[in-house]
Amino acid sequence: MPKRKLTGLLTVAMVLLVAVIVTFNRSDQVDFSTEVKPILNKHCISCHGGVKKNGGFSVLFEEEALALTKSGVAAIIPGDPKNSELIKRLHEEDPEMRMPYHKSSLTDEEIKTLHKWIKQGAKWGKHWAYNPVQKPKVNWVSQQAGFSDSKKKYQGIDFFIHEKQKENKLSFSEEEDSRKLLRRVSLDITGLPPTEALQNDWLTGKITYEQLVDRLLDSSSFGEKWASWWLDLARYADTKGYERDVSRTMWKYRDWVIKAFNEDKPYDEFTIEQLAGDLLPNPTQDQFIATAFHRNTMNNDEGGTEDEEFRVAAVLDRVNTTFEVWQSTTMACVQCHSHPYDPFKHEEYFQLTAFFNNTRDEDTHDEEPKLRFYEEEDREKITSVLSWAYSNGNQKQAEELSDFFNFREPKYHAHLCEDFVNGELIDTKWLGLWHDGSCYLRNVDTKGADQMLMEYRSGFDGTKMTIRIGGPEGEVLSQFVIDKTSIVSKSFPFKKVTGSVDLYIKVENPKTAPQQSTSAITWFAFVNSLSGKEKEGYKEMNDLFHSVLNSKVPTLPIMIENPSFMQRKTHVFERGNWLLHGEEVKPKTPEALNPWNPEWSNNRLGLAYWLTDKENPLTSRTFVNRIWDQLFGRGLISSIEDMGTQSEAPSHVELLNYLSYNFMHEMDWSMKKLIKTIVISKTYRQKSNISPVLYQQDPQNKWYARGPRIRLSAEQVRDQVLAVSGLLSMKMYGPGVMPYQPDGIWETVYNGESWKMSEGDDKHRRAVYTFLKRTSPYPSFITFDAGSREVCVSKRIVTNTPLQALVTLNDPVYVEAAFHLAKKMHLKSDNPEVAIACGFETCMLASISSFQSEVLTGLYKEALTKYQESPELLDQLMTVNEEKLSPKLGALTVVANAILNLDEFLTKP
Amino acid sequence: MKNIGKLLRELEQARLEKLTRRNFILDCAGKLGGLALAPLLSSCGIGATNTDKIGMNLSERDLNPLSPLPPPFLPKVKSVIYLHMAGSPSQLELFDYKPELIKYNNQPCPESLLEGKKFAFIRGVPNLLGPQAEFSQHGESGAWISDYLPHFSKLADDVAFLKAVHTDQFNHGPAQLFMHTGSPRLGRPSLGSWVTYGLGTENQNLPGFVVLTSGGKTPDAGKSVWGSGFLPSVYQGVQCRSKGSPVLYLEDPTGIPRDLKKSVITSINQINSEEFDHYGDPEILARINQYEMAFRMQIEVPEVMNINDEPEYIHNLYGTEPGKESFANNCLLARKLVEKGVRFVQLYDWGWDSHGSDKSTALDLGLRNKCRETDRPISALLLDLKQRGLLEDTLVVWGGEFGRTPMQENREGKTMGYKGRDHHVDAFTMWMAGGGIKKGTSFGTTDDLGFSGVEGRVSVHDIQATILHLLGFDHEQFTYEFQGRPFRLTDVEGEIIKEILA
Amino acid sequence: MLNFIIPLIGRFHPLIVHLPIGFILMALLLMYYPKKDKIQFLPAIETALLWSCITAVLACISGLLLYTSEGYAFSTVQNHLILGLATALICLLLFFQVKKCKTINTPKIHLNSALLGLFLMLTGHLGGSLTHGEDYLIEVLPEQVQSAFGYTGYEEFDPIALDENHWEEALFYEDVIQPIFNQNCRSCHNQKNSKGGLLLTSKETILKGGKNGPVISGSSWEKSELHHRMTLPLDHEDHMPPKEKKQPKKEELELVKYWLASGAPFEKNLAMAGVTEELVEPFFIKSEVSIYPKVELTSVGTEKLSNVRDKGFFIEPLIKESSLLKVSCINFPDFNEKDLELLQDISQNIVFLDLSRTKVNDQVFESLIDFENLTILKLNNTHITGTGFEHLHKCTHLIQLHLTETEVNLLNLNLLNGHPKLKKVFAYKTPASKEEAHKHEFTFEVMFGNFELPVLPTDSITF
């Protein structure tokens, strides 16, 4: 018997062994996110994804993909490709059955991959970009035996770049010529050509390259250069956008960004302050200013538009922008349906929306809430009023007051009024009640205030306004007379009521004509009056209060969170339609990304912490990728705006992860440190020449076997020209300026504003200070691919058009610059050739070649003879400038004009 | 090992070719000094197609993003003139004749119609408003056209009417964006940009997509209505102004005469081509191209944009007055531009927003004046295109961004001083004429009140699909990769309106 | 980690099932053969039945595991599953009966064993068709036998194609309706795969209808299920064809509707059925899709094209990948007829030639004779007078000729009379247009233009 047992056992063992071997000895696992997902996205997802789920089948989420489909069979049977409908349908010959439906079939390769994947159990992988950034384990020893210079040891960036180069049989180009390198790094960091001093120190070898970089990073121009990049993301502009597109004062935010860059504000702080500065513990004025980031959304003043609709539009834009800027994720699609490609669900979009849906701004004409910047005098008044309030009332009262002074919240806007009788919302903006008119202002919580503040204007005296609780029969809460006045905020005694009530507002003024508004009211607010009425000097205090209230001060739209009694509910919008409310949602961050820390408050501030949490997989990667793109003209992930599963396979994942990790942990989010790390790399310092062979191998410079060579940005083009011609004003900050612009550019509906050329220096300020009108931005910037800043733009597409030539050839700004450059040349030497050589050198930081000099001198001679023959031309040329020109100077101007148009000048070497 | 050998050989070969080519450039550069600036690149053998000789197979497009491409399907037309009446004319006063509405004049509008509808200004229950114009039938097709358009009505048999167009945006800005970019939100390329991107431009001295505005204002949605969205900005509409220099910075700086300017550009291009030898960056070749085109544009554009020298009979036909900004002038310019091979000409005429809030927006006053200003020019344009044989391969589209309500506007519940109509999305009229269009047809009908279409309803995307079809595109396959997914003009909708195709 | 065990066991189902089959057959065999004194087999029978039960249960378990782990839909396996379980149960029952009665000659036992046998067969067959596919057995049969079983391979069907001139004779059902069904319905309603028991393949089957009764109502077409289902809203679950399938064109729907409305005739032709032209117009095989000649030409190489381009011509294929070419001198104002030689060797391919605003003169027509496929020729704003037009008769495909603002006079215009294809000539602002053109007869349409718009009083009224 035992023998038999033994054999039995043996056989069982054998069977198990075989089974085990079969299951575990699976060579070359298919990787889902790099091999399978792309195929699904390419061929299947358009019909079986977030938008459509044909046949009840979707390959968007694991559970969907493995679930039973309409037909009752699961399309994917893990481990059993042959019986998986998904595979079967790929082989079908009946065109009605064969997938992709009525499209060309998959390649055998693709089918094989899917087959293998299902065989291996159809494991769902997570896209690399959604895994937290891990500390990279690299030993700086070359991984493979390269065919060239494998002896060299590279560290950091260069190491990773070099590894890839070897895979592609490429290698580094030599280092760029020192002056060109100087020009490159200077334009990249400061947006300007280097100063004389810096040139000397560098060329005389007084400073090392690293010191050079530090000098550049320390200069205040650094902030100005990088601000214009960030402002594209922040969709910063000086007008509100949409139809009327009138001006708004936003520039204080622009200045904040410049300062933030210059003082190297760590990126996490930088983020938190812009997203939720107002929610930080007793925020500073600057932290309030930072929140203007999300007040850059457009504001629609067009008559007949419903404010709520555009408030919602703004909120959604904030969600989309936040995710594009910090997560390189296009959320816009999730607005209407689950994301077609990335693991974000429809409701998750609105859970994010919930974070942003509770700010006070309501697309009102006055763009409240706005931070108010008081003059010294007013500030004194405020302190005295506050101290009075504090001493006679209590702390809380004083704080409420100070908030109200700072940003006038909380208040109820007129557009909340409804059920008009003999009344209207004037141009859908202001409450206008006619004689014997009335309306309701519902769900008002006065917090038991004994005083109502109201901003209004009126063309008539003696309008009696009565406010009752509930309705026409309700108890009178306040009754007063409105007289003729320009816009003013006044206070009226108000009967204490508690809880949320409906106000019935009624006016009478027989003097007014029928259907004529007695007044135009902007908002109502309920603020306790100063206590200590009995006290000596109360009246003065009260007057101070009102004078501050009505003092005209500079303002800036900012974010202020709704107080508890004004909280809005957030709903899913069915099919993205804001009128179709689905189930209610609470603030929550997407599943696919990093976990939520319960200690964070469940609002914008929490969201900001979540974004800047070191566990967040996308924030640092996104930022590093963008900076890299700024310096190399191409991101490590080329689709800058989207790092999701659709983005093309990144060329250097390890490098991206390495930099991202260090950016957070080693560099503590220091933007300057990051930029420095990149620009001191060998990779950055290479020559940018392209040999035909090299071009063949790598047209887009994907493997960085040469330095970056990119046309300068709109801002750089202008700033550089002004710099080399010595016209550039280094004045910083302040309201947008209006340099020369041809007439008749500004043509907007219902908008009296016009372009008034700035005086003196302001004509020649750096581009970042140029007034930007969304519906018609500064023409020459647009021509050089700058945007209109209506929505967040994370990458400008560099184009090359004849209109650009026209700008640099004919725009008076550039002619003027040419003239001033010519003067500089003229001073250098009387000998034209020398003068031209100097001019050329100032512009290119490179000595002129014999050929170039030959051509330009030729041009000079031709121009000279021309001007000698017909000097009247000179006078016309002079009209651009003030002084009288000599033929020589004229000729030099023409030459300068040519120099300023050379490709080398318009391009980063 | 073998690798390196190959590498070296290629390098050497390339070096030699560059040398020879360089000398070549130099001596044509010499040539060029004097005589007219003929296409430097091509004539000097580094034209697009020859660059592959020097080891880079560059497409025509790499050097000139506007270079023409053949359409994927046989096109009916090669250019489009789009007449956009910004503000939206009232179909009920022009083409959509509703005798019933006369009966119901001043009757309150049936609640059933208003249910779930939103209007820009109308509040509560407005009254219906009968047509303010006299209608009569015209041509063999017997199309109903009002006496507001005496000239155009003679051409009834040349156009195809779409009587039941509908949109879903009732504010000007979004609606105009929707009409021209296929999306009410910003950031999508306009129809014209798509077309220039797809077909380029045949005339290498003119932009492919020209925009002309009249009525003293640009459209409400601003320049994004002809913007290139996520397409390279080279494809955006070039606004030609009828006052000042037609294209910004087109004029040479005073004091730098033409011939001198020519030498400036020649010198620039000579140095740039030498620079190409040094850097080998194809972008430089592109730039050389652009400077040439800029120079040619400086000659060609003012020529085309100048209507002073047009013969008398043309001025009489169009009713043009040189020197002043007018829709008539723009119509004439449109013809000249198309004649010169411009791909897409977009005309915006502002001032059709007939709310009745004042005289200029009253249906019986302001609207009539707008009609008078445009009736002759539009008719003239059609006739002129016809007699020159241009209508054979040109498509003319007329329309607003939406329609107007059968109800009289009662702004915020107030009765208005003048007769006006509010914005209306459910039904309005557009027409098309020209190549591939079935002449003298009318497609779609609206209910007795003209409130919404009962049959032959077409959407904005349908219209876009049809225009693309006529130009030789399948609107579903004509896409551009952005944010990792293919975008198209008609988003996920759009059906070709076969009923109006010849 | 070891979660593969379950599916693994499941996968043994196909093997295990053969054990009960074997044992049960064995048992039945022993029970009914040989005829005589089976009683002596009783122990053997009992053992056989016992093992049948055990293995049957095992089979069921493994079967269930397979079903759960392989994502089969219940609907597909239910019969096999139920029968399988039933078999096991009956087997058990039989075992105890036999054990109890110690005989096999009771009617109960006979009945049960009969059932057992039957169920075994059915279960086995169903199992088989699950693993090997429904048509496993039929496949091997000869074609005719197959079709007897209602199986046919997949076949292509042509869409409706009507001759523009003789469409009336086409048969309504055979040439129009059946093709519509073939295009839109057949893939689910054929013998092989008749969803809802409906076959839309022949008169008989159509009239027969589906398992929910007829699809064509004699009384009125609105009542006809056929039309009703096809016109339901797309999202409606009864909509046909199903949402995700290709949908019929609205023209097709119209025709089906009309067919039903006219009493679903199977023999009538379109004329008899009173079908109007616009109903079928969309299905005409357009005798001429494009005005350009349909000729097979070798396409011109890019090298050649670029050479021509470098000369200043604008040249590109008419359509992507077409061998027909479009040539224009829009960027080549200095062109004169000599430059035409550059095009000689590709003259065949050129169907569109625009020489407007160039320096050509009448010599050009002589050189144009080799351009035999030339369809559209534009000579606007040139100095040609038209002497030499007669050569254009050689361009037998010429359809449009543009002569706006040229020196062409009536006399020369007459030279074009009798041109085989020429349809339209544009002669606005030519001497011809000024002369008394109306007297002349042309074999083609001539556009002299000179349109004017009357001056109306309203032109000057401001309201």
Side-chain angles (χ1 to χ4, degrees), chain B residues 114-304:
Chain B
L114 302 174
E115 244 159 56
K117 297 263 187 257
K118 292 177 66 58
F119 300 95
F121 294 96
I122 285 180
R123 299 287 179 266
V125 180
N127 289 343
L128 293 164
L129 178 67
Q132 299 302 304
E134 297 299 323
F135 278 80
S136 51
Q137 285 184 292
H138 298 272
E140 288 169 11
S141 57
W144 286 97
I145 303 176
S146 87
D147 61 348
Y148 281 19
L149 303 170
H151 295 295
F152 179 76
S153 47
K154 301 280 176 303
L155 304 177
D157 290 344
D158 288 308
V159 301
F161 291 97
L162 295 165
K163 289 279 187 69
V165 189
H166 63 93
T167 174
D168 53 21
Q169 297 296 318
F170 60 79
N171 290 123
H172 295 292
Q176 287 166 354
L177 280 173
F178 189 45
M179 188 59 77
H180 294 287
T181 73
S183 155
R185 291 199 202 79
L186 292 152
R188 298 287 188 89
S190 57
L191 180 55
S193 303
W194 277 108
V195 174
T196 13
Y197 162 68
L199 299 175
T201 166
E202 292 178 13
N203 185 331
Q204 292 302 306
N205 311 340
L206 288 174
F209 176 16
V210 173
V211 180
L212 302 162
T213 65
S214 55
K217 305 271 195 341
T218 49
D220 313 62
K223 299 189 162 50
S224 0
V225 174
W226 56 83
S228 56
F230 45 68
L231 293 175
S233 60
V234 61
Y235 299 115
Q236 80 200 1
V238 174
Q239 187 180 5
C240 288
R241 312 174 314 153
S242 32
K243 283 193 249 109
S245 72
V247 172
L248 280 181
Y249 312 124
L250 193 67
E251 280 139 10
D252 293 321
T254 52
I256 302 184
R258 208 86 267 278
D259 51 351
L260 192 51
K261 181 51 151 303
K262 193 203 298 159
S263 340
V264 169
I265 290 180
T266 322
S267 324
I268 293 171
N269 277 353
Q270 285 171 5
I271 295 179
N272 283 353
S273 24
E274 187 219 32
E275 202 201 351
F276 173 71
D277 295 342
H278 182 260
Y279 281 104
D281 179 355
E283 274 298 299
I284 303 175
L285 296 181
R287 179 146 294 112
I288 294 174
N289 253 335
Q290 301 312 331
Y291 271 77
E292 286 172 356
M293 176 161 175
F295 182 76
R296 297 196 302 269
M297 267 176 72
Q298 287 186 274
I299 309 166
E300 191 93 5
V301 173
E303 208 173 281
V304 192

Side-chain angles (χ1 to χ4, degrees), chain A residues 243 646 690 709 747 862 903, chain B residues 218 220 263 275 279 287 484:
Chain A
E243 187 194 32
Q646 273 293 286
I690 314 172
R709 189 176 189 286
E747 269 187 353
E862 194 181 339
D903 179 83
Chain B
T218 49
D220 313 62
S263 340
E275 202 201 351
Y279 281 104
R287 179 146 294 112

Side-chain angles (χ1 to χ4, degrees), chain A residues 459-479:
Chain A
F460 306 95
D461 284 335
T463 306
K464 179 148 144 271
M465 178 176 271
T466 319
I467 300 180
R468 296 167 180 276
I469 185 163
E473 303 315 317
E475 167 192 16
V476 175
L477 296 176
S478 178
Q479 186 166 55

Side-chain angles (χ1 to χ4, degrees), chain B residues 406-418:
Chain B
M407 302 82 77
Q408 172 164 17
E409 177 160 341
N410 61 340
R411 183 160 299 205
E412 306 301 328
K414 206 196 280 186
T415 50
M416 320 268 285
Y418 296 88

